[in-house]
Amino acid sequence: MSAPDPVRRYGSSRGTRAIQAMVEYAPATGGLALWMQHVDVEADADLPAPVANDGKTVFYAPRFTALSLEEQIGWVAHETLHVAFRHVQRRTALTSVLGDVDARLYNACADALVNSTLSHLTWLQLPKAAVYLDALMSRVFKDTQAAETLLLQWDVERLYRAVDDRRQGSRAQASGQSQDQNTASGNSASETEQSTGEQGARPREDGPRSAMVRAMARASEPDLLPSPEAERPEAVADATRAWAERISRGHAADGESSMLRTVSADLPRSRTPWAQVLRQSLASALVREPELSWSRPARSWLANRGRTPSGRRMPWEPGVITSRSVPRLALILDLSGSIDDALLERFATHIDAITRQLQAQIVLIAGDDQVRYEAVHEPGQCGLGTLPEMPGGGGTNFVPLIAAAARHHPDQAVVLTDLQGPAGAAPGFAVLWAV
């Protein structure tokens, strides 16, 4: 099932009553719904469920209005937690790791966590066919612990990995088995493609655990739509961090009236893609930027000898030169004892690969409360994959280290440290603090 066509979207009025009731009963956690978009769709056929979401927007089908207010609140609260827990984005991330994620099984695992999180509330009604975490664990894993305990142990990634015991089927069985399985579970064509991975790959047969979960979720309606667009890793990390903070603050503010039983293990966790952030920052800082030179003409001006085909004189056209011959990076290493050798070598390997690609000169400066090592490495001759032995272990003072870097007039400086020490006044070049 694909997300509704953006051209057909318009603002939502169907979910207003339910959102107002959520904010009335649980002001802080119910107010999480106010951080996302709510859109009505024109036809029931546009959505597989009365309400669905694509990780950012909650969509309402016309049949949503036929539900009782308690059922409407239950659906909206359910979708709100899906968006807040970043389940759609986490499915994309899990697919990049595993290469094959069955959309229906993942949806069932996410539903079980959300439904159990909301099951203590008496002012909403969840669908009769809803899947709950304690029921799933009892049937599939014979684990009879209470829902409160299970929510502290299981997140959607761990639960899906434990449930997914699908086996690679034979090509002769693939077509018929896949069609029967998707018809029984209510999967759409797009979900079938998503669950089988690469085009031409053989569908996988359900094992005992995945078959039981699929049977439990057969009567429920899938509500996780595909993500509308890919996001930059930095944006994903920032959004995940923001949602985790909103959930924690909301739960603490609402107390006993919170929509969450507890801040569960499924709370979204931010993992900053530091290697990619570092690569992008250095690439933008060390790229050779062209600039105009009024002392030399452009090649096109020379080729035409400064005249048009009719013989008229052309205005002067300046040429383009590289603004700097070799970009220069100052790499400052904190040797105070708080940075272990393994992290230093890993960081140096990334720097070495980046600077080789950019053909940048590296000024390597290392020390604790004073400069202990200083060397200049020409482009392509950095050799930072294996760092030399450097004395250290004292206190931390960045002032002499940055002063040493300033003598080389770098275009960019990178400091690997734990930030425990004085840095002095801001230097005349950009500094990236890698903590």
Side-chain angles (χ1 to χ4, degrees), residues 75-416:
W75 271 106
V76 177
H78 181 95
E79 301 307 319
T80 296
L81 291 192
H82 271 320
V83 176
F85 286 150
R86 307 274 290 168
H87 282 155
V88 170
Q89 290 84 356
R90 291 162 68 180
R91 180 182 62 190
T92 302
L94 188 62
T95 302
S96 68
V97 174
L98 301 181
D100 174 19
V101 171
D102 186 283
R104 196 68 181 92
L105 286 179
Y106 180 92
N107 205 145
C109 293
D111 283 347
L113 291 162
V114 169
N115 290 332
S116 292
T117 300
L118 296 170
S119 61
H120 66 293
L121 301 175
T122 59
W123 42 269
L124 57 78
Q125 181 179 338
L126 296 171
K128 295 180 179 179
V131 180
Y132 295 89
L133 181 60
D134 49 350
L136 185 152
M137 296 300 296
S138 176
R139 180 174 178 180
V140 179
F141 300 101
K142 310 304 179 186
D143 187 342
T144 58
Q145 297 183 82
E148 291 86 349
T149 304
L150 294 170
L151 286 171
L152 295 173
Q153 300 174 359
W154 293 88
D155 57 36
V156 68
E157 291 87 359
R158 181 188 175 197
L159 183 60
Y160 176 83
R161 289 172 182 265
V163 162
D164 186 13
D165 61 347
R166 294 173 298 146
R167 302 178 295 268
Q168 190 68 50
S170 64
R171 190 170 295 278
Q173 298 172 323
S175 177
Q177 188 271 345
S178 177
Q179 291 178 0
D180 293 342
Q181 191 179 84
N182 285 286
T183 301
S185 61
N187 279 8
S188 64
S190 61
E191 285 179 325
T192 304
E193 293 173 3
Q194 185 174 0
S195 66
T196 55
E198 298 179 0
Q199 185 177 6
R202 290 175 293 174
R204 297 167 61 184
E205 300 176 9
D206 278 346
R209 295 191 297 273
S210 55
M212 282 189 282
V213 173
R214 202 182 297 276
M216 292 180 68
R218 183 173 300 162
S220 63
E221 297 168 297
D223 58 343
L224 296 182
L225 303 174
S227 179
E229 58 186 9
E231 297 180 90
R232 294 183 298 108
E234 301 95 316
V236 172
D238 290 342
T240 301
R241 187 180 303 110
W243 275 113
E245 292 175 357
R246 291 168 192 158
I247 294 170
S248 299
R249 291 173 185 164
H251 181 63
D254 277 347
E256 294 182 356
S257 62
S258 172
M259 290 203 325
L260 283 69
R261 282 189 171 188
T262 181
V263 178
S264 65
D266 201 36
L267 187 73
R269 292 175 174 82
S270 172
R271 297 174 176 85
T272 302
W274 66 268
Q276 184 165 353
V277 173
L278 175 66
R279 183 178 298 274
Q280 291 176 346
S281 299
L282 294 187
S284 61
L286 301 180
V287 66
R288 298 187 181 185
E289 299 177 354
E291 63 181 18
L292 296 178
S293 173
W294 293 93
S295 62
R296 57 191 304 181
R299 292 184 179 181
S300 60
W301 192 92
L302 288 174
N304 294 315
R305 297 183 179 182
R307 296 185 179 275
T308 65
S310 62
R312 293 187 177 184
R313 184 180 297 276
M314 296 173 60
W316 174 264
E317 184 179 353
V320 177
I321 62 172
T322 303
S323 60
R324 51 183 178 234
S325 57
V326 178
R328 184 173 299 160
L329 170 69
L331 177 58
I332 302 174
L333 303 181
D334 180 2
L335 299 181
S336 60
S338 55
I339 306 297
D340 59 65
D341 293 340
L343 181 58
L344 274 176
E345 292 182 2
R346 181 183 176 192
F347 188 81
T349 301
H350 279 282
I351 294 288
D352 193 11
I354 295 169
T355 51
R356 284 179 184 273
Q357 182 178 2
L358 297 175
Q359 288 296 300
Q361 184 185 73
I362 285 188
V363 179
L364 180 59
I365 299 171
D368 39 28
D369 56 354
Q370 57 182 300
V371 177
R372 304 288 184 178
Y373 179 89
E374 184 174 350
V376 177
H377 299 269
E378 295 302 322
Q381 302 177 2
C382 305
L384 295 182
T386 55
L387 291 172
E389 290 292 332
M390 304 177 188
T396 305
N397 187 351
F398 300 109
V399 175
L401 305 182
I402 293 178
R407 291 194 294 269
H408 297 273
H409 305 287
D411 300 293
Q412 172 84 36
V414 178
V415 185
L416 178 63

